[in-house]
Amino acid sequence: GASSDANSLDDYEEGSWTPTFIAGSGATYNYGGSGHQVGRYIKIGRAVHLIARLELNGSGNTAGSGLLQIGAMPFTTDSTANTYGNIAIGLTTGFGGTVGAPTHGFTNTNAVTADLQVYDNDGGNVSGTTNANAADAGDDAGIIFQALYFTA
């Protein structure tokens, strides 16, 4: 039966979602065939854990400019200030250019997007952490990642 205990599990959901890249401006992305936009999630209470693979098809892409983001996350993030979720990246392919491949990220407040970031500690393209640049996403750019965040 149902429990009124504050610690009881009363909200559990599993499902799929379709991740996207979002650029600051001017981007057109072609994800191609099956397996290029795959996402799964588990939501327990307010906590959302998701995994995803996102890969461009190799042609017909306009990288655009500005910050590169992940979009279309399955649930809106918490609206409380400074309560960011994390993006952990397992693999990137097809990035180059100014700052290079994303290394991590964080969810935006009260949104279904996450900002991708680049960390470089070897004196390469950037010093420290900076925003991932949409112009660095090549025609075959891809990313495998997971995220953990809280909903409102």
Side-chain angles (χ1 to χ4, degrees), residues 14-140:
E14 293 185 31
S16 60
W17 65 290
T18 305
T20 62
F21 281 129
I22 300 173
S25 64
T28 304
Y29 295 122
N30 176 15
Y31 300 102
S34 176
H36 288 225
Q37 281 180 286
V38 178
R40 301 279 305 156
Y41 70 84
I42 295 175
K43 180 178 178 285
I44 303 172
R46 293 181 49 230
V48 179
H49 181 229
L50 56 86
I51 59 171
R53 176 177 183 241
L54 184 56
E55 185 176 358
L56 300 180
N57 192 36
S59 63
N61 298 299
T62 304
S65 62
L67 172 65
L68 184 63
Q69 296 179 302
I70 298 296
M73 294 187 321
F75 299 95
T76 301
T77 60
D78 191 352
S79 60
T80 305
N82 300 313
T83 56
Y84 306 103
N86 72 309
I87 302 292
I89 296 173
L91 177 70
T92 60
T93 60
F95 287 88
T98 307
V99 297
T103 55
H104 62 284
F106 59 89
T107 62
N108 293 299
T109 303
N110 197 32
V112 291
T113 59
D115 293 359
L116 294 176
Q117 302 281 291
V118 176
Y119 179 74
D120 185 355
N121 65 355
D122 66 2
N125 297 345
V126 297
S127 177
T129 300
T130 190
N131 291 335
N133 189 335
D136 291 347
D139 277 344
D140 59 349

